[in-house]
Amino acid sequence: MSEEGSRSEVSSKEAMWKKWEQDEKEGKLKAGDAIWGVSPGYDLIPEIDLPLNHSYFFDGTHSCPPLSPLGLQLYWSRGCTHGLKYVNSYFSLPTCYGWQGRAKDGGIYWSFLIETDEEKIKEREPKFRKALQPFIDDFDGIWEKNKEELFEMYGKLRKFKPATATNIDFIHFHWDLERASLRQWEIHFLGMQSSYSAWILLEKECKERFGIDDKGAEFQDMLRGFDNEIYKVDKELWVLAKEAVDMGLSDVFKAKTQQEIIPTLEQSKVGKLWLREFDRFMQERGWRATNPFDMVAPTWLEAPDVPVKKVKDYIESGEAERQDYALDEKRKELSVKREDAVKKMLDRVPPAEKASFKSLINLAQKASSYSEEHDLYCEMTMMAILRWGYLAIGKWLCDQGCMDRPDDIFMMNTLEIESTVLVPGKADMRWLTGRRRAEWEALTDRFSKEGEFRPPLYTDRGDLMEAVGRDLIPSFDPIAIKIVVGDMPNVTAEEIGADIVGICGCPGIAEGTAKVIMDCKDLGELKAGDILVCPGTSPEWTIAFGLAGAVVGDRGGTLSHTAIIGREYGLPTIVNTFVACEQIKSGMRIRVDAGKGAIYILDKDK
């Protein structure tokens, strides 16, 4: 086709797209919902979904900032829903068959498939105990085998050669990525559901016997102070920071922005020596997503300034000048406290029950370290490979003329990708990707300006507490109660004279200047001693726990990343406030009494 003919065709299509948009506004485009549903089969339609399942709870832990269409559909509404039904089937969890995910406004909402028939619950209980026993006997051995399977799966995917692939190769690669995502979710939840079940069973025993729940220091002290691979990566960056200091490069890291550091180091001999060590680190650790919940953010390999920023933070905070790594020192202290707490607890248990009680503690102790380590091997690595793979497919689709840019593929769902890949020259997806991108960017822009705007719940119950009481708590699903939705505060702010309440992630009291940060890329704004107020955290936020005086998170339970890292750093931490990011402004002076879950705003006029 001539250039003039090509321009004419584009103009004709654009005119057609505008007509479709106008027809939709006027209600003439009858099939609009069927065409534009981001996650077919999983889109939340309240008038249909609520009569069936009554309540859908917002997953604020994993939906901030708003997720891209492909991340929401492939990874969350389809993949995570599958994993949760798989694992509850695997363990025959007595009271819950799994979760049903629904997608809306870039977020994932969950409903719990609860069993209330006492006879059926009794039938499932022996199966549950039998399925849990291998994890009590050898949790670490099972996790090692599962990691081997993940490494093998990732290795096969990374052998794909986009430059020489045919359309048939690309469609098979797309299916391989889908299968890998689904299998990763199965493995992901085996370790999580087993160790979290032990946590929730241990809490139940401690509540009934001694009146202790998992918000208290006696319980938390038994279960913290363990190393894991995420912490090892952080320590390797700290070692790189120490080496930079020893090599006389501190001024470069302090004076330059994170984007300027590598180009500056490349200009000196000693800088090149440091970069050689950094490159070795990246070869092993670079396949890591900067956003473990979505594909839209670059990996460390694409954005090496992200790990460089962590090195910069260690140097600027003075951590690199220390002889020992701070978290190692803290872990030694916590380990001593842990052994003492376990001994005191077992002293209160009748002799005949000590062995089984100790087994329960041992498995529950895996919950925190597994929660962190699975982030690295499941979410961060899987997400990095999905991003690399789908960008390769996206580039190929651009070359065939059916999209404008490779990352437009994140605006499609897997069925649309499948329908396009084999004959891309006859598919023009630009109207769809353009429209989806505009919608997604509007959501993320609103989130960055207003904070969380999506409702915490869709329900036909009377209110949130009734929904929690009838449609969440009876599931006794540890992942729901301890991480994704989280416990609700057991007092109101008025009852204890506070301005905001949440639940205790780690006890302690702190007072300081609030810093509200909605995205980890803005962590450079946090100063030593500030009280970090955020939607929630992931491993990319961990370095902030070495600077902050306390942490307040809008979402998450006692096994969320925010609560776990708060305990490992011994930092006063409150989670599940729901409204802290909305009601607290940066610069306000606030007081945090984490044991009570209470936040006091000391200068409300700011």
Side-chain angles (χ1 to χ4, degrees), residues 235-400:
K235 184 175 179 179
E236 289 167 16
L237 288 165
W238 172 77
V239 170
L240 283 166
K242 281 187 75 64
E243 289 174 354
V245 171
D246 293 343
M247 295 165 80
L249 296 170
S250 296
D251 289 345
V252 175
F253 283 87
K254 289 178 180 176
K256 301 296 180 183
T257 67
Q258 67 186 83
Q259 292 83 13
E260 294 170 336
I261 290 172
I262 289 178
T264 303
L265 293 174
E266 286 172 339
Q267 295 172 20
S268 72
K269 186 176 179 182
V270 68
K272 288 177 181 174
L273 287 174
W274 186 88
L275 285 173
R276 191 182 301 167
E277 293 305 309
F278 180 69
D279 287 343
R280 288 196 186 101
F281 167 83
M282 290 292 281
Q283 285 171 19
E284 183 177 358
R285 303 296 195 181
W287 281 87
R288 170 168 167 160
T290 53
N291 179 348
F293 309 137
D294 202 355
M295 288 167 247
V296 291
T299 64
W300 278 13
L301 285 172
E302 295 171 272
D305 62 295
V306 175
V308 162
K309 173 67 167 56
K310 294 175 185 288
V311 174
K312 176 180 170 74
D313 288 339
Y314 280 128
I315 292 173
E316 289 183 330
S317 67
E319 286 290 311
E321 308 279 350
R322 295 171 64 106
Q323 185 174 353
D324 297 309
Y325 185 49
L327 200 54
D328 283 349
E329 293 178 350
K330 191 68 184 177
R331 193 175 306 115
K332 287 177 187 172
E333 176 191 323
L334 293 177
S335 297
V336 173
K337 192 180 282 190
R338 181 183 70 230
E339 296 308 314
D340 184 56
V342 170
K343 182 178 181 305
K344 285 179 179 173
M345 179 60 70
L346 290 176
D347 286 345
R348 302 165 76 174
V349 176
E353 299 176 49
K354 282 186 191 298
S356 61
F357 211 89
K358 182 67 167 60
S359 296
L360 198 56
I361 293 173
N362 288 345
L363 185 53
Q365 286 176 333
K366 303 296 181 186
S368 294
S369 56
Y370 180 79
S371 182
E372 293 309 293
E373 198 159 286
H374 94 278
D375 276 338
L376 180 64
Y377 291 121
C378 294
E379 292 178 321
M380 291 173 155
T381 309
M382 183 77 256
M383 197 60 78
I385 289 173
L386 287 174
R387 175 177 168 82
W388 168 77
Y390 279 109
L391 280 176
I393 297 174
K395 180 179 182 307
W396 186 73
L397 291 178
C398 284
D399 292 343
Q400 310 306 309

Side-chain angles (χ1 to χ4, degrees), residues 74-88:
L74 167 63
Y75 200 70
W76 290 104
S77 60
R78 182 182 173 202
C80 190
T81 295
H82 164 73
L84 288 159
K85 289 177 179 174
Y86 166 86
V87 79
N88 283 14

Side-chain angles (χ1 to χ4, degrees), residues 501-515:
V501 292
I503 63 172
C504 176
C506 178
I509 297 173
E511 186 175 315
T513 303
K515 187 66 192 176

